[in-house]
Amino acid sequence: MPVLATATAPTSCRGSVACVRVSGNGFPPFLPKEVEKIRDPSARELAKRIQRLPVKISFSGSSIMSSCVKPIQQTASEPVVLLHGFDSSCLEWRYAYPNLEDAGLETWAVDILGWGFSDLKMLPSTGVAAKREHLYELWRTHVERPMVLVGPSLGASVAIDFAVNHPEAVTRLVLIDASVYAEGTGNLSKLSRILAYAGVSLLKSIPLRLYANILAFNKVSLGRLLDGTNIGRLHCLLPWWEDATIDFMVSGGYNVKHQIKQVKQKTLILWGENDRIINVDLAQRLHQELPDSVLHQIPDCGHLPHVEKPDIVAEFILKFLRGTTVEKPVSSPVEKNSS
């Protein structure tokens, strides 16, 4: 029997999380209605917890209502802030987030400016500098304490850029299948607006997203790939997504390879051994270039270990934060050469 929406939307409260107005189906009303078609229980549960928090930035006349999943409660330990990859959202963490939270970590999953489910109807800049300032102000206003910053794929570039520019805000880094050696958006930044909009329209198409998922994962069923495609493109259905994506594209994107050696924080590097998107050899290069890092490679895993092997990723993060080693590692740490 269908659930009928009430005239006044109810609120949902969990623990110390502030009450959030939700629709009759439990989802925040600002999410695209297609969220109801998602079948994955973990994605549905995390989607119901997404909130928008006000973030004041210098390049906008008013605060940006910024989407994230807030922790249930604050803890005495340093907060863990989870970023996501290129053109994605906090729903990437649908499987690993509960593991980290259940382990007692104060865990945030935040949407990078220009992607995810923030309210961008004012069409702010979404280039690198804007993304950095937005993350800083979100951290300063809401997280409020030095954090462990976790960046998968392009999120690793966001994390490195942020840690180098705001070292006071980051205690440690976790980089997952890091996309940190690309030289920005390359020739895409030179496209005419007409071609740029045509390309971006293709970027959100179901066939292209499905193909990207096939490349990203090692061993995933077709049903999960199809549902993952719907999850991964959900934010693309917001009305400002095309403009925000093109603004980032023409801005030149991230080019952080010269910042890597400036990172001072202790860093955990995780890498799927079967990554078909980022060359696995770059894991060793990144390990060598980061002054204080440890590398773990995850067998039978593709580009998104936090989606494909969430239990293993959560275990590595927990052991890293607690300063212990994995009792039964899935692979031995890769040590740096002594030469």
Side-chain angles (χ1 to χ4, degrees):
M1 183 174 181
V3 177
L4 299 179
T6 58
T8 302
T11 57
S12 174
C13 302
R14 182 179 179 187
S16 62
V17 175
C19 294
V20 182
R21 191 161 295 280
V22 296
S23 59
N25 54 23
F27 295 111
F30 55 78
L31 294 183
K33 65 181 184 302
E34 287 80 1
V35 69
E36 299 177 23
K37 299 178 182 178
I38 292 173
R39 302 174 62 184
D40 187 309
S42 298
R44 293 176 65 88
E45 181 65 25
L46 197 62
K48 291 176 182 179
R49 290 185 56 185
I50 297 175
Q51 303 181 39
R52 282 176 172 171
L53 304 177
V55 176
K56 180 65 178 174
I57 33 81
S58 64
F59 50 88
S60 175
S62 58
S63 294
I64 293 176
M65 296 305 295
S66 305
S67 49
C68 68
V69 177
K70 288 181 61 176
I72 293 176
Q73 61 184 359
Q74 284 193 334
T75 66
S77 61
E78 56 206 324
V80 176
V81 175
L82 309 172
L83 303 176
H84 54 74
F86 171 75
D87 193 24
S88 186
S89 77
C90 59
L91 292 178
E92 267 189 30
W93 290 96
R94 54 193 177 272
Y95 304 126
Y97 186 99
N99 291 358
L100 297 171
E101 191 169 67
D102 290 346
L105 298 182
E106 180 182 329
T107 310
W108 296 72
V110 305
D111 283 335
I112 299 167
L113 181 68
W115 300 313
F117 305 101
S118 298
D119 185 346
L120 303 180
K121 60 176 172 288
M122 66 185 71
L123 298 181
S125 170
T126 58
V128 171
K131 282 174 164 55
R132 184 192 312 129
E133 181 182 341
H134 176 263
L135 179 56
Y136 176 79
E137 291 301 329
L138 188 151
W139 167 78
R140 185 184 65 82
T141 306
H142 299 288
V143 182
E144 301 182 294
R145 294 163 20 243
M147 61 183 167
V148 178
L149 191 57
V150 183
S153 194
L154 187 69
S157 284
V158 179
I160 286 175
D161 173 78
F162 187 86
V164 169
N165 283 279
H166 296 291
E168 75 283 2
V170 181
T171 59
R172 284 177 276 190
L173 285 173
V174 180
L175 308 178
I176 303 173
D177 288 70
S179 176
V180 294
Y181 291 108
E183 297 185 359
T185 54
N187 291 330
L188 294 176
S189 63
K190 303 175 183 178
L191 290 177
S192 68
R193 303 293 288 192
I194 293 176
L195 288 177
Y197 274 98
V200 165
S201 179
L202 179 64
L203 183 61
K204 72 174 179 181
S205 68
I206 290 177
L208 186 61
R209 291 273 171 167
L210 178 59
Y211 178 67
N213 270 355
I214 291 171
L215 288 180
F217 295 106
N218 184 41
K219 296 177 181 178
V220 176
S221 68
L222 178 59
R224 187 170 164 189
L225 283 172
L226 291 170
D227 204 38
T229 298
N230 291 329
I231 296 167
R233 69 186 294 270
L234 184 65
H235 67 286
C236 301
L237 305 179
L238 292 171
W240 43 76
W241 171 81
E242 288 186 352
D243 293 312
T245 300
I246 288 174
D247 187 81
F248 173 74
M249 183 189 303
V250 301
S251 75
Y254 282 92
N255 186 351
V256 302
K257 63 181 181 180
H258 299 299
Q259 293 179 291
I260 293 171
K261 293 182 180 179
Q262 300 175 43
V263 172
K264 305 300 182 184
Q265 292 86 350
K266 186 175 180 63
T267 303
L268 169 66
I269 305 169
L270 300 177
W271 213 286
E273 288 186 353
N274 303 103
D275 191 337
R276 292 182 288 176
I277 293 179
I278 307 293
N279 192 322
V280 177
D281 294 339
L282 293 177
Q284 183 61 244
R285 175 180 172 183
L286 181 61
H287 179 45
Q288 293 294 331
E289 292 182 1
L290 281 171
D292 187 8
S293 66
V294 60
L295 166 64
H296 289 278
Q297 295 179 323
I298 302 176
D300 301 317
C301 185
H303 182 62
L304 300 173
H306 55 302
V307 182
E308 194 169 354
K309 303 282 187 179
D311 295 347
I312 293 173
V313 168
E315 181 182 12
F316 273 126
I317 292 175
L318 287 168
K319 297 292 185 179
F320 175 64
L321 298 187
R322 293 169 179 170
T324 57
T325 57
V326 179
E327 295 176 3
K328 295 181 180 179
V330 292
S331 64
S332 298
V334 179
E335 299 295 341
K336 294 187 178 181
N337 295 332
S338 58
S339 57

